[in-house]
Amino acid sequence: MKKITIAIDGFSSTGKSTVAKQLAKALGYVYVDTGAMYRAVALYAMQNQLISNDHFDVEKLVSVLNKIKISFKYNDILGFAEVYLNGKNVEKEVRTLEVSQRVSQVAEISAVRKMLVQQQKQMGQEKGVVMDGRDIGTVVFPDAELKLFMTASTETRAERRYKELIEKNENVSYEDVLHNVESRDLIDSTREDSPLVKADDAIEIDNSNLSLDAQFEKLLVLAQNKISE
Ligand code: DC
């Protein structure tokens, strides 16, 4: 059967990864979470004291990019691939609010984007992939057969992210999470290199009032139609 590329972009916490995982499972495709790759680079910068509240040594980070090896390994129990940084599983660490507070600054750097986009293109070269991020339909796979652009109100998104973090026992306040969602959206959509914009041919899905099941059904039909075209 024909394989396609599914590109899912959108603001933070719009549920991209949830539906991307559902689609990948239903279609037998590979799911790639590109946000996890930017998060892993941010974690490396934090672990090596290259970034903190009042300082960010961009030059140094760029000079050590060749030491950052990011990979994914499928976890049978979880049903998706976890992210590894230089051989270590960092799936949990990259999801903390601390990393969320640094990652957009790291994702602004062109050298970081260039390195990661190259790896992403390689991961999807055989199609049969569902990839989510901010620039997948515009930069990584401008020829993707199906492009989705996810949106939801800021409050809905902050509530979702807050719940997720609380469930993981992270000690965060709703206000901090809301502030993080707003500030990341601003940086992600106004940066010079590959800002978050809806591709002209992307289908916009506002899921503020859509159940997970309803959303999945709708997007699966879109994907199946593209596959049988
Ligand atoms: O999807 P996420 O929230 O895990 O992504 C984390 C950050 O990484 C996000 O704020 C912007 C950046 N990012 C990006 O610039 N390009 C991508 N393709 C994916 C993520």
Side-chain angles (χ1 to χ4, degrees), residues 128-196:
V129 69
V130 185
M131 197 173 276
D132 79 352
R134 303 294 188 285
D135 59 344
I136 311 305
T138 51
V139 176
V140 184
F141 295 120
D143 297 328
E145 289 84 352
L146 179 61
K147 297 183 188 177
L148 304 169
F149 190 84
M150 316 284 290
T151 63
S153 74
T154 314
E155 286 72 22
T156 306
R157 296 187 286 121
E159 271 163 34
R160 285 180 190 157
R161 186 47 69 103
Y162 174 67
K163 255 194 179 161
E164 255 174 43
L165 291 168
I166 292 294
E167 275 163 19
K168 288 180 188 161
N169 290 325
E170 277 226 37
N171 186 17
V172 293
S173 72
Y174 172 75
E175 285 67 33
D176 284 349
V177 174
L178 177 65
H179 176 71
N180 176 250
V181 164
E182 287 171 338
S183 81
R184 275 203 294 148
D185 287 350
L186 182 69
I187 302 176
D188 294 346
S189 52
T190 57
R191 69 177 173 229
E192 244 172 67
D193 189 347
S194 324
L196 167 64

Side-chain angles (χ1 to χ4, degrees), residues 15-219:
K16 301 183 294 292
S17 68
T18 305
V19 75
K21 280 176 197 158
Q22 288 174 316
L23 286 174
K25 195 171 172 198
L27 299 168
Y29 281 18
V30 171
Y31 162 58
V32 180
D33 173 358
T34 63
M37 300 171 80
Y38 289 91
R39 286 171 180 273
V41 177
L43 180 65
Y44 181 93
M46 289 162 68
Q47 287 173 339
N48 291 277
Q49 286 79 46
L50 304 178
I51 191 167
S52 64
N53 276 344
D54 50 6
H55 126 114
F56 182 14
D57 194 340
V58 175
E59 236 173 80
K60 175 84 186 168
L61 177 61
V62 170
S63 76
V64 295
L65 282 180
N66 58 348
K67 293 189 180 155
I68 304 180
K69 300 279 175 263
I70 296 166
S71 54
F72 288 95
K73 206 162 133 190
Y74 192 79
N75 179 322
D76 281 330
I77 298 165
L78 294 175
F80 64 89
E82 295 180 291
V83 65
Y84 284 68
L85 170 60
N86 291 335
K88 183 174 177 262
N89 184 333
V90 291
E91 180 64 32
K92 281 206 182 77
E93 269 174 277
V94 298
R95 312 281 165 199
T96 60
L97 188 57
E98 284 76 21
V99 172
S100 297
Q101 282 162 342
R102 309 269 181 246
V103 63
S104 286
Q105 275 173 282
V106 169
E108 278 187 289
I109 304 168
S110 288
V112 171
R113 304 203 69 81
K114 200 170 160 207
M115 174 178 91
L116 297 184
V117 166
Q118 195 188 357
Q119 292 174 14
Q120 290 154 10
K121 282 183 190 239
Q122 241 165 30
M123 290 178 194
Q125 66 186 355
E126 297 189 353
K127 297 192 180 252
V129 69
V130 185
M131 197 173 276
D132 79 352
R134 303 294 188 285
D135 59 344
I136 311 305
T138 51
V139 176
V140 184
F141 295 120
D143 297 328
E145 289 84 352
L146 179 61
K147 297 183 188 177
L148 304 169
F149 190 84
M150 316 284 290
T151 63
S153 74
T154 314
E155 286 72 22
T156 306
R157 296 187 286 121
E159 271 163 34
R160 285 180 190 157
R161 186 47 69 103
Y162 174 67
K163 255 194 179 161
E164 255 174 43
L165 291 168
I166 292 294
E167 275 163 19
K168 288 180 188 161
N169 290 325
E170 277 226 37
N171 186 17
V172 293
S173 72
Y174 172 75
E175 285 67 33
D176 284 349
V177 174
L178 177 65
H179 176 71
N180 176 250
V181 164
E182 287 171 338
S183 81
R184 275 203 294 148
D185 287 350
L186 182 69
I187 302 176
D188 294 346
S189 52
T190 57
R191 69 177 173 229
E192 244 172 67
D193 189 347
S194 324
L196 167 64
V197 284
K198 177 178 167 292
D200 292 338
D201 51 350
I203 301 168
E204 187 165 332
I205 308 285
D206 183 334
N207 62 21
S208 304
N209 298 305
L210 208 57
S211 76
L212 281 185
D213 284 349
Q215 167 174 271
F216 170 57
E217 296 296 326
K218 183 175 167 151
L219 301 190

